[in-house]
Amino acid sequence: MTVLQVRVSEPRRGRTQYSYELKSGDGSVLGPLEQEHTVDVSQDLVKDLCMEIDEALKNTGDEQGTELRESLARLGSLLYDALFPQAGQPELMRRLRESTGPLLVQSNEVLVPWELLHDEGDFLGLRHDMGRRAKVDRPVVSGRSIDQVRRALVVGDTLGDLASAREETERISAWLSEHGVACTVLTGREATLSRVVGELAREQQPYDLFHYSGHVSGVPDAAGLMVHDRKFIGMDALQPLARRGAPPVVFINGCASADPMLDSAPRAQAEAAQTMNACMAFMVVGAKTVVGTRTAVGDAGALRFAEAFYGQLRDHMEAGTAVRRARALLAEQSEGAWASFVLYGDPGVRITTTAEPEPIRRDDRKKAEPERPAFSSEATGLLRRTWRFGSVRGIVTSVDLLTALLETEKVRERAAARIGAKRLQLLTEVLRQLQSHTPAAGDTGSFHTGSYGVNGTNGTKAAAAPKPDGGGSIVLSDTVERVLEGAKAAVVRDGRSAVGVDDISTAFLETGGGSCAELLQLFGIRPDRLLSPVIERRGPQTGDDVFCLDGLSPAAATAVRYARLLAAVKGEKISTYLLLQAFAMTGSEVLQEALAEQGEEGTDAYHTLAPLGGARPRDFSRRTLARLEQTIAEADGPVGEEALLIALLTEEDASARRLLQKLGVEPELLIQALRNPLG
């Protein structure tokens, strides 16, 4: 997970600074937190853009979804550039653009709609599983987890003045009931403060879900949900929930109302603060995931979003994935409601997980087995190989699963056709080296996922399958568990009875690939070209997509990669100018010869471009320069890539070795692979 920490300060009157800290959960992708990036920001411009975004959200209807998206993209792009100016911190922007996986924004800054920032590729809220977190000055209840949503409390139209809220309450409760959720519905006079809090705090058959549609109001720092008689449920009123914990899932479609005497920008900021404080009140007393709205959403849009969101939770998706997919579904259908929803909490937390199976009596076993999707014979063989790979270490990782997938005939043949047989063989050899052992030929046994532990806010897993020799159990990594869950969920959704290899491959891609993602990036391999059963024809690449270089020759691909480095250093986009420089800097004989044919001007042009890539002694560290000179002096001829890489990695305290170790690669195994590339 990537965490973006935001701090806003006013060092002197009229000047606003935004300070950013960006890091990954374990420091492996973005590196350890080294620098606070501080930029001067026009807060007046930020406020105006945020106000325009809020007005666009309030004034749009579902039928205006396409027009709204275009307007939000324009405003979100301006806001992105205002908060992350091109001339300010290009390194921060590069890291943010290249970050993958869940994104958590940690800040008490409530004005900015971080989910709607647009980086010219896509909205952050559509590109990332995204959540928000704020600091509070009181103890936080750890709460409880659930295996599925069984009971829900639905509250709405508590003052009897919002027909849309009553309609939403009726439709949401009907939808939940149709999907097997027992609902308690409170509206109007029934929704008193004591009744709602009493229901939420009950210890017998507690609620798993609380859905609210109505007014959000209150004084600053004490906002809450309006109930009957204009009383509101704020942080203090929720204290009786602390013993048992709030429902793990809370959904608030609230219409905030700040002082009408305020100007538009301060009023918008006050309303955003009210909504956030109301959502955070539930998180303080143990809610794992709270979905709120930036502006009120009509019952039709709220219902469609809630259906998509609750459906994803039912399929055991992480909270951030559930919200992002619900947003994407509404956006694809040109429904404007997608842009108003905000996730408060860790986007990586899984609220629901596969339930602990009840013991099955021998007589009932045949009857019960068809209820769970089985694995095809091919998939069973794949999982058996995966288990053997992880059996020595006692844990099955994404590296084990990817290796087993690439040794499956149908996957191997597809991958070889797409990336080349030699490249695939090199990748497979590196994967086997990373496993640190060769599985024994006689190490067999059945692979099954066992029962999954309940997931808390820290994202850890307790999944395990017993070893066939009875000597303890083998643990499944987070990624492997998610892959198996996703594959089985897809089969159930499609009404099929067996999980196949393609289901596992697709689920592997949907998880992001775990620790394998960085390895594939180092190889320059797009994961979907490696594993996807079907490669869709793509248009222009945006967002997280990677421009595929497979159609270029090695020399041309190298020039493009070099141009990307130049663009990153300069903080620019890759232009034809930079590409031309890159061809010269990589020593393109084709360019050199073609320019030479243009006469003296062409030769001079090449010499003008080529020195840009020439390294001078002062460009190297003293130690690296000495290593290079020694390697060249000891060689019988030109030093190749393998020899140069080995020389750079040989010394124990070399910084290159430390980088590889951060990326999860053992330097000695890489050196071995370089000395014997094809095994």
Side-chain angles (χ1 to χ4, degrees):
M1 177 187 299
T2 301
V3 179
L4 175 64
Q5 296 178 335
V6 184
R7 181 170 54 86
V8 183
S9 61
E10 190 173 357
R12 63 174 181 268
R13 185 176 179 82
R15 183 182 184 188
T16 303
Q17 288 185 336
Y18 277 63
S19 299
Y20 305 102
E21 294 177 350
L22 188 66
K23 62 179 179 179
S24 63
D26 58 2
S28 61
V29 177
L30 302 176
L33 186 60
E34 298 174 344
Q35 180 182 358
E36 182 178 66
H37 302 267
T38 301
V39 296
D40 293 328
V41 171
S42 170
Q43 191 70 349
D44 287 338
L45 176 60
V46 170
K47 288 180 179 179
D48 284 352
L49 291 172
C50 291
M51 183 179 64
E52 288 191 47
I53 289 173
D54 286 338
E55 289 301 316
L57 293 176
K58 290 178 182 177
N59 297 330
T60 189
D62 289 346
E63 69 280 0
Q64 298 173 291
T66 301
E67 180 181 344
L68 171 67
R69 183 162 183 169
E70 293 175 354
S71 177
L72 291 178
R74 177 181 61 82
L75 294 171
S77 180
L78 287 171
L79 187 55
Y80 181 91
D81 290 339
L83 293 170
F84 304 104
Q86 295 276 351
Q89 296 290 343
E91 175 65 12
L92 171 67
M93 296 175 64
R94 181 188 66 79
R95 288 184 169 187
L96 186 59
R97 282 196 305 268
E98 295 180 358
S99 65
T100 59
L103 175 63
L104 177 65
V105 178
Q106 186 165 301
S107 175
N108 285 70
E109 203 289 322
V110 299
L111 179 64
V112 175
W114 300 100
E115 298 78 8
L116 299 181
L117 296 187
H118 197 286
D119 62 359
E120 296 184 359
D122 206 345
F123 296 95
L124 296 188
L126 291 178
R127 212 178 80 187
H128 293 278
D129 296 351
M130 195 167 176
R132 296 195 195 187
R133 177 185 291 161
K135 293 182 179 180
V136 293
D137 57 359
R138 61 174 66 193
V140 177
V141 177
S142 60
R144 55 190 171 89
S145 294
I146 53 177
D147 54 17
Q148 67 182 73
V149 175
R150 291 188 174 90
R151 284 170 289 277
L153 177 63
V154 183
V155 176
D157 190 24
T158 57
L159 301 182
D161 62 344
L162 287 177
S164 61
R166 184 174 292 269
E167 177 72 13
E168 178 185 333
T169 300
E170 293 172 353
R171 296 179 64 176
I172 286 293
S173 58
W175 186 90
L176 289 170
S177 298
E178 289 173 2
H179 289 79
V181 179
C183 292
T184 299
V185 180
L186 300 177
T187 58
R189 293 179 178 276
E190 297 177 323
T192 63
L193 179 62
S194 60
R195 177 73 188 280
V196 175
V197 173
E199 290 286 344
L200 290 172
R202 75 189 207 182
E203 297 192 13
Q204 298 298 322
Q205 294 186 323
Y207 293 105
D208 308 310
L209 164 67
F210 174 54
H211 186 107
Y212 175 87
S213 178
H215 294 282
V216 176
S217 190
V219 296
D221 300 324
L225 310 181
M226 190 77 72
V227 292
H228 191 61
D229 288 339
R230 295 193 172 274
K231 297 175 182 178
F232 62 89
I233 301 175
M235 201 168 292
D236 293 335
L238 290 174
Q239 289 308 304
L241 279 62
R243 181 189 304 174
R244 179 69 182 179
V249 185
V250 175
F251 192 109
I252 298 173
N253 180 14
C255 176
S257 54
D259 185 350
M261 299 301 293
L262 293 173
D263 292 336
S264 54
R267 186 171 67 253
Q269 186 171 9
E271 290 175 349
Q274 285 179 347
T275 302
M276 188 188 78
N277 288 336
C279 292
M280 294 304 299
F282 282 89
M283 301 204 75
V284 168
V285 291
K288 293 290 194 298
T289 289
V290 180
V291 176
T293 51
R294 185 168 181 89
T295 59
V297 176
D299 61 286
L303 175 66
R304 283 188 285 267
F305 186 92
E307 287 177 351
F309 173 65
Y310 294 151
Q312 295 291 329
L313 291 187
R314 193 182 58 210
D315 293 337
H316 315 306
M317 293 293 106
E318 291 86 349
T321 303
V323 170
R324 177 178 56 80
R325 290 185 178 181
R327 282 195 195 110
L329 179 63
L330 267 65
E332 288 172 3
Q333 297 173 352
S334 297
E335 297 182 7
W338 70 270
S340 290
F341 290 94
V342 177
L343 170 65
Y344 295 94
D346 185 346
V349 70
R350 182 172 293 143
I351 302 302
T352 61
T353 185
T354 304
E356 180 79 22
E358 296 180 359
I360 301 176
R361 295 180 301 176
R362 184 181 301 274
D363 295 341
D364 296 337
R365 190 162 297 167
K366 289 184 178 180
K367 181 179 179 180
E369 281 177 353
E371 297 177 3
R372 300 180 63 186
F375 290 99
S376 68
S377 58
E378 190 178 26
T380 300
L382 162 67
L383 296 179
R384 189 173 286 123
R385 288 193 301 276
T386 306
W387 187 93
R388 291 202 301 267
F389 291 147
S391 61
V392 172
R393 287 172 278 113
I395 181 171
V396 173
T397 68
S398 59
V399 172
D400 299 319
L401 181 55
L402 179 58
T403 305
L405 279 167
L406 295 179
E407 292 187 359
T408 303
E409 184 177 1
K410 63 189 297 186
V411 177
R412 184 174 64 251
E413 289 179 355
R414 283 198 304 251
R418 293 169 183 169
I419 70 171
K422 182 177 180 181
R423 199 174 178 194
L424 176 62
Q425 184 176 0
L426 288 171
L427 173 62
T428 303
E429 289 297 324
V430 171
L431 287 170
R432 294 298 294 268
Q433 292 288 343
L434 290 176
Q435 291 174 319
S436 303
H437 75 281
T438 301
D443 187 8
T444 60
S446 62
F447 184 101
H448 64 282
T449 58
S451 58
Y452 299 105
V454 176
N455 185 18
T457 56
N458 59 2
T460 58
K461 303 287 183 229
K467 290 184 179 179
D469 59 7
S473 61
I474 183 168
V475 177
L476 307 183
S477 73
D478 175 83
T479 299
V480 174
E481 183 193 5
R482 290 164 59 195
V483 169
L484 296 180
E485 287 179 348
K488 288 190 289 186
V491 169
V492 172
R493 284 197 305 269
D494 296 343
R496 294 182 282 119
S497 59
V499 177
V501 169
D502 286 348
D503 295 311
I504 296 174
S505 297
T506 301
F508 189 96
L509 290 173
E510 290 178 348
T511 66
S515 59
C516 292
E518 297 174 19
L519 176 63
L520 295 179
Q521 186 177 10
L522 290 173
F523 266 80
I525 297 174
R526 207 172 70 203
D528 63 329
R529 289 189 61 79
L530 195 66
L531 295 178
S532 178
V534 178
I535 295 292
E536 298 180 359
R537 189 174 299 276
R538 294 176 172 234
Q541 305 299 307
T542 59
D544 281 337
D545 292 337
V546 176
F547 183 81
C548 182
L549 303 180
D550 292 352
L552 302 178
S553 69
T558 299
V560 173
R561 292 191 181 98
Y562 211 105
R564 179 179 177 274
L565 292 175
L566 283 174
V569 170
K570 294 174 176 287
E572 302 175 0
K573 297 287 186 181
I574 297 177
S575 62
T576 55
Y577 173 82
L578 287 183
L579 271 173
L580 181 63
Q581 282 190 330
F583 272 99
M585 295 166 77
T586 55
S588 170
E589 294 181 359
V590 172
L591 176 62
Q592 183 178 10
E593 292 173 0
L595 283 173
E597 293 181 6
Q598 311 308 309
E600 185 176 345
E601 290 82 0
T603 302
D604 290 343
Y606 181 80
H607 288 309
T608 300
L609 292 171
L612 292 173
R616 297 161 295 187
R618 67 172 181 269
D619 295 329
F620 295 92
S621 71
R622 184 179 305 173
R623 183 176 180 181
T624 302
L625 179 61
R627 193 68 179 156
L628 285 172
E629 291 175 339
Q630 179 183 354
T631 303
I632 294 171
E634 293 175 352
D636 295 331
V639 177
E641 293 175 65
E642 294 87 350
L644 182 55
L645 285 168
I646 290 170
L648 297 177
L649 297 172
T650 300
E651 295 184 9
E652 287 294 330
D653 58 344
S655 58
R657 292 174 66 95
R658 294 196 297 272
L659 173 61
L660 287 173
Q661 288 166 345
K662 279 186 179 181
L663 295 173
V665 177
E666 176 54 49
E668 292 301 329
L669 296 178
L670 181 57
I671 291 173
Q672 183 178 344
L674 289 168
R675 286 176 174 156
N676 189 14
L678 297 179

